[in-house]
Every structure is written in C-alpha cells, then in structure tokens.
RNA sequence: GGCCCGUUAGCUCAACAGGUAGAGCAGCGGACUCUUAAUCCGCGGGUUGUAGGUUCGAGUCCUACACGGGUCACCA
C-alpha cells in the first residue's frame, strides 16, 4: 500500500514520538470526566464561578481542529456527544512539551489535564497543564468543513463517518434508544425476552428465500432464519403467555433502499389476544416511543409529516385496493382480469392466482400512497399461511399490515392454531413451491406437532426495526440506519 | 439482473467545444500567547476507478470491466 505524503508525515511523527520514549499505545488512562460531562456540567457557569471552583479535570478525546499561534495553541477535542476547546501555552506546559505537541496531528487521541475557564468569547475551555498521548491517527481526516460525503466510504469505513459526522452518530444513538424503549415497553407489560434459533433446519415464518449453510459435525444443512415466528409460537404452546424477541433475520433477496439481507425484527406473541389487541399495542408502542424519544407525536419524513396520534386509520385490504389502485371497484369481480392486470405489473413473473394478484396490486399501486400510519386489514388468506381466516370472509386472513411513509412497517395476525388447517395450508404452499414459487412456505411437521399440543388463541406481530428507525431518523435508505450494511466486496 | 447517473490530490469540488489537470481545506517550512472555517508569507502533493480503442493530442469521445448511487424487476 503506497502512503500519501500526509501519511508519511504522520508516520514519521509517530517514530519521533517513539524516540522520545513516549508510550505509543498506553494501557489505561485516568480521567475525571468525559468531554460531554464537562460540557454538561460546566457550560452554564460564569467565568467567576469557574475561577472560584478551580476545577481540575483530566479529559480524553480526539483532536478535531488545531489553531496554532506561536507559543500558544487552541484546539478542540471531542467525544461521541460533544466537543471542548483546549488552550495550550508554552509557559504552562514547558518548552519541551510544547514542542512535543507539534508531533500531534488532527485525529490523534490524547488526554488533557488542566483547569476550566472561559475565553473572551465565552467558550468553556481547558487551560492545559499537561497532556498525554493516547493514540496516533495515521491517516488524514476528511475536510473539517464539508466532512465526509462519499457514501461509499461512509458505509465501507463507518468509523470515519462516525468520527466526522455528528448527525450520523445521532442516528445510531436514536436507534439504540428505540431498541431500549421497545424492551422497556414489553418488559413493563410482563413479556419475557427470548432468543430462538438463527440457524434452522427448516426456514419458516415468512415467505422468502433463505441463506443456506452447513453444520460439519452433524452433516446437516441449515438455513439462516427468515423469521423467528414458528419458534416463538412453540414457546406460547410451552406456556409462556407473552414473549418477544428482537434480533436479526436474514433473507436472500434483492438489496434496495428498504431491504438489507440481514435486518432487525421485533416479534412478539401474546396468548389469549388477537390481531385487534396487536393493533392497539402497536399504536401505543410507537406513539409512546415518539413522545419519549422525539418529544412529539408527529414525525417529519422527507416532505411529509406523519401524525402518530391515536387511533390510526384502519382500512380493509379490499377497500385500500379500490380506493388507491386506480381500478374501478367492479373490476375486482373479474378474477381473470385481475390476474391479467397484476401480470402486467410484474412481467417477469405471472401472478399465479387471484389472491397473489391482489397482493401484487397492493404492493405496486397502493402501498406508496399510504403515508399516515394505516392498518391494512384482512389481506387474502392465500398469502397468509400462518394466520387464522377472517371472521366474516373465508378467503381473507385475520391479519394486518401496518404501512407508514409508504413502507410496510409491521405485519400481524391472529395466529392460526388449528393443526389440521395448518397442515392443509402448508400443503398448499408445498404445491406452490413445486409450481416454482421459491418463496412458498416449507412444510414444518415439527411445528404442526407442537400445535397438536394446543396453541391458545394468540396474537402475534413482527415490526421491522430498521424501517421504523428510518422513519424516526428521517432517512430514505435503510443503509443509513444500519451501521455496517452489506456491500459488494471490493477488488 | 435491465436502464440511467457517478468515480479527478488525504477530503470537498473545478477543469468551456478534445489542446500544459486547478482551488479550498488538510499537509510541510516560516511569523504570531484569547484563537475558533484563526490570520499572513512560502512550498510540496495526481498512473483523472481499471484495461483497451479512436486521435497529432483524451479527465473530456468509444468499448469492456470494477465499485457506488438512483430506478425498475425480484422481494417485505
């Protein structure tokens, strides 16, 4: 790897530091505060108050800017949440140490010991008495004014993105807070958090293509899970009334601004509940989350404002089709015509049936129109092999999809609990699979066996956490809310 | 996978119609003890994504490839 002139300069400074007998990789640094803690605790104090306090602090951080003026230097250090100015004077730190400081570059990590004061412009600043070298940054940092813009570098070298772009750090801080909120919410309702297999002999719980792997010792094919659903329902059979899991699922499909091959899903199941209860709980969870983390019930998403005020719109799947698809309601009576129409939307794959065709039309023509949170109720049963049939129509499923900002955020149903019907539905899926539908559900006999021990009436739901973060953080690409999104290998 | 767009110094970007690749920041040297996009003086830094082609001459035109973005398809 060829070094640039700037990298050579940094490397030679590192060597000179080594010659000065400075520990280049110290094991531990004592500190009294983080940068953020200092800013939070002392910013509001006046010069006089700081003077009186004589607070001596030791604070570590990364140098992000330097302004040298002869025998004095101002620079800023930062931590993940704040930055702090340091004032370094030759007469305070000794001539030798002041010269040593010239071996330190923007990007290096140091700790500074000194007293706090305020400059003439009122900025909280550390008057340094000494500094300790903690780590060398061997590459120049991106430009201070524009930061790092190149999306490819931002994703491939996320650490650089995080160093340079504070708003990006905030996205991931928000993501973390959202996940904490989810846990608090369910723990508070008496749910227990569980972990179910990510490697499964039969990938179930959703209609999607899996990643395949192999266990050497057992000589056994395994699949990365496409959903935790069937295992969570086994736990309901086992007697846990309320379970949730928040973790990764994997789908071997296209990558887009709404799809990453591995993504984080919240799934929760509650015995003696149905999909109506799930709707109430979803509204409550997301609305409270917004109030708690964003301080409001309305979120800005691109040019749109999304109101999370309850209750949210509830719309029958068929109504959604007739209202938003642009097709006259009467056209939906012509089953062959609907299949024909759906096929024009997906020329590479003919919709094999009426239910599938309706689903295609919903995806292509309806979803993007639903910006405000909308529960789309009762989609075709045939695309919902794990849901109970609707109470008033045997062709519909007792299921909803929550659509928001044009994206599907959640999917829930009153769980199918009749083992015999489940077996028939699996067999129908098997037929579709044989007919070339690679996404059709596999037959999971062990799951049917579990159902035979009795699954109580159960409501269950999955929420796409990444997409929810996109909405809360106002990001248009799922890669912006996943720390390390999958990219093609370079070279 | 199809189509469109992009790839120039460490970073952010210029370079008209094909005619010696530039700027700001960053870096290096110098001046400067309240600066904060510090300021002032000087200097270095490029296989223009890769490989070919057209041309007297290619960052610029053509072809292929790589990577990224967008979009459609596939898919939640």
């Amino acid at each position: 790897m060829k070094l640039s002139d700037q990298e050579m300069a940094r490397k030679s400074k590192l060597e000179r530091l080594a010659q000065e007998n400075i520990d280049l990789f110290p094991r531990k640094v004592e500190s009294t505060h983080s940068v953020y803690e200092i800013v939070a605790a002392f910013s509001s104090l006046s010069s006089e108050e700081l003077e009186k306090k004589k607070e001596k602090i030791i604070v570590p951080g990364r140098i992000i800017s330097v302004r040298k003026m002869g025998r004095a230097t101002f620079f800023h250090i930062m931590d993940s949440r704040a930055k702090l100015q340091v004032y370094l004077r030759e007469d305070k730190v000794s001539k030798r140490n002041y010269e040593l400081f010239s071996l330190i570059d923007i990007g290096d990590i140091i700790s500074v010991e000194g007293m706090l004061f305020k400059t003439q412009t009122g900025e909280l600043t550390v008057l340094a008495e000494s500094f300790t070298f903690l780590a060398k940054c061997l590459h120049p940092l991106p430009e201070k004014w524009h930061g790092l813009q190149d999306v490819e570098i931002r994703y491939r070298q996320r650490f650089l993105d995080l160093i340079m772009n504070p708003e990006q750090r905030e996205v991931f801080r928000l993501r973390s807070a959202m996940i904490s909120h989810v846990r608090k919410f369910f723990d508070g309702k008496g749910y227990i958090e569980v972990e179910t297999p990510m490697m499964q002999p039969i990938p179930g719980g959703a209609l999607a293509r899996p990643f395949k792997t192999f266990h050497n010792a057992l000589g056994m094919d395994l699949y990365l899970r496409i959903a935790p659903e069937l295992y969570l329902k086994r736990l309901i059979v086992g007697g846990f009334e309320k379970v949730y899991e928040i973790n990764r699922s994997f789908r071997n499909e296209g990558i887009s601004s709404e799809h990453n091959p591995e993504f984080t899903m919240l799934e929760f199941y509650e015995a003696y509940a149905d999909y109506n209860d799930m709707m109430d709980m979803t509204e409550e969870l997301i609305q409270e989350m917004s109030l708690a983390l964003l301080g409001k019930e309305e979120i800005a998403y691109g040019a749109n404002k999304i109101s999370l005020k309850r209750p949210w719109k509830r719309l029958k799947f068929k109504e959604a089709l007739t209202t938003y698809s642009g097709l006259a309601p009467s056209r939906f009576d012509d089953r062959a015509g609907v299949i024909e129409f759906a096929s024009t939307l997906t020329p590479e794959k003919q919709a094999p049936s009426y239910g599938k065709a309706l689903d295609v039309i919903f995806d292509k023509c309806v979803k993007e129109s639903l910006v405000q949170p909308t529960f789309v109720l009762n989609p075709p049963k045939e695309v919902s092999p794990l849901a109970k049939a609707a109470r008033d129509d045997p062709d519909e499923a007792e299921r909803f999809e929550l659509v928001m900002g044009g994206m599907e955020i959640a999917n829930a149903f009153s769980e199918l609990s009749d083992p015999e019907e489940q077996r028939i539905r699996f067999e129908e899926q098997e037929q579709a699979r044989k007919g070339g539908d690679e996404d059709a559900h596999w037959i999971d006999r062990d799951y049917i066996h579990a159902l035979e021990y009795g699954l109580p009436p159960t409501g269950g739901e999955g929420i796409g956490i990444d997409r929810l973060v996109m909405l809360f953080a106002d990001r248009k690409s799922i890669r912006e809310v996943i720390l390390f999104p999958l990219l093609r290998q370079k070279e």
Side-chain angles (χ1 to χ4, degrees), chain A residues 5 15 113-114 154 159 175 219 224 341 366 406 410 450 457 459 486 489:
Chain A
D5 56 340
E15 282 155 9
E113 178 169 3
R154 286 186 46 234
F159 50 87
R175 182 180 172 118
L224 299 186
F341 176 71
V366 178
L486 185 66
Q489 194 92 27

Side-chain angles (χ1 to χ4, degrees), chain A residues 1-33:
Chain A
M1 190 72 163
K2 216 181 98 193
L3 295 184
S4 70
D5 56 340
Q6 303 202 38
E7 289 164 333
M8 302 277 274
R10 282 168 183 256
K11 209 170 164 215
S12 84
K13 285 179 182 175
L14 184 75
E15 282 155 9
R16 279 157 68 196
L17 281 168
Q19 282 163 15
E20 297 287 338
N21 279 325
I22 285 167
D23 187 356
L24 297 177
F25 301 99
R27 281 163 185 77
K28 162 84 180 164
V29 55
E30 299 301 335
S31 63
T32 58
H33 301 77

Side-chain angles (χ1 to χ4, degrees), chain A residues 35-46:
Chain A
V35 169
Y36 178 77
E37 284 164 352
I38 287 172
V39 170
F42 300 105
S43 283
S44 58
L45 300 189
S46 69

Side-chain angles (χ1 to χ4, degrees), chain A residues 94-263:
Chain A
S94 85
K95 193 162 188 313
R96 176 188 135 84
N97 283 329
Y98 193 76
E99 275 166 13
L100 224 45
F101 189 78
S102 66
L103 298 178
I104 286 175
D105 288 298
I106 291 173
D108 288 0
I109 301 172
I110 67 172
S111 81
V112 173
E113 178 169 3
M115 303 275 216
L116 290 167
F117 75 106
K118 283 206 167 162
T119 62
Q120 282 168 10
T121 54
E123 180 167 353
L124 183 67
T125 300
V126 187
L127 178 59
E129 289 160 22
S130 67
F131 60 88
T132 307
F133 178 84
L134 298 179
K136 190 88 195 145
C137 177
L138 290 170
H139 303 281
L141 291 185
E143 204 225 1
K144 62 183 168 191
W145 194 239
H146 299 91
L148 178 65
Q149 305 284 329
D150 185 306
V151 283
E152 185 169 355
I153 301 176
R154 286 186 46 234
Y155 297 155
R156 288 191 193 276
Q157 303 187 43
R158 181 68 90 180
F159 50 87
L160 255 191
D161 187 27
L162 294 171
I163 290 169
M164 295 309 299
N165 300 324
E167 70 283 0
Q168 208 54 39
R169 293 198 291 269
E170 284 314 305
V171 169
F172 293 105
R173 204 174 273 289
L174 175 64
R175 182 180 172 118
S176 168
M178 289 172 72
I179 290 171
S180 290
H181 185 95
V182 165
R183 291 205 159 96
K184 249 178 263 162
F185 179 88
F186 284 101
D187 294 347
K189 287 190 180 300
Y191 276 71
I192 62 168
E193 182 175 1
V194 296
E195 295 166 276
T196 63
M198 296 217 184
M199 295 192 294
Q200 306 178 346
I202 295 172
L207 309 180
R209 293 164 69 183
F211 287 94
K212 191 173 183 179
T213 186
F214 183 75
H215 190 284
N216 289 335
L218 297 179
M220 171 190 195
D221 284 336
L222 285 167
Y223 299 86
L224 299 186
R225 72 177 180 193
I226 55 176
E229 169 148 353
L230 300 187
Y231 286 91
L232 291 170
K233 284 191 278 194
R234 284 170 169 97
L235 295 177
I236 300 287
V237 171
F240 287 126
E241 296 90 351
K242 299 175 179 182
V243 295
Y244 75 97
E245 177 163 14
I246 182 163
N247 218 319
R248 228 67 62 79
S249 287
F250 308 84
R251 296 187 186 176
N252 201 345
E253 281 157 5
I255 295 176
S256 78
S257 55
E258 289 173 28
H259 300 87
N260 195 61
E262 53 179 310
F263 62 102

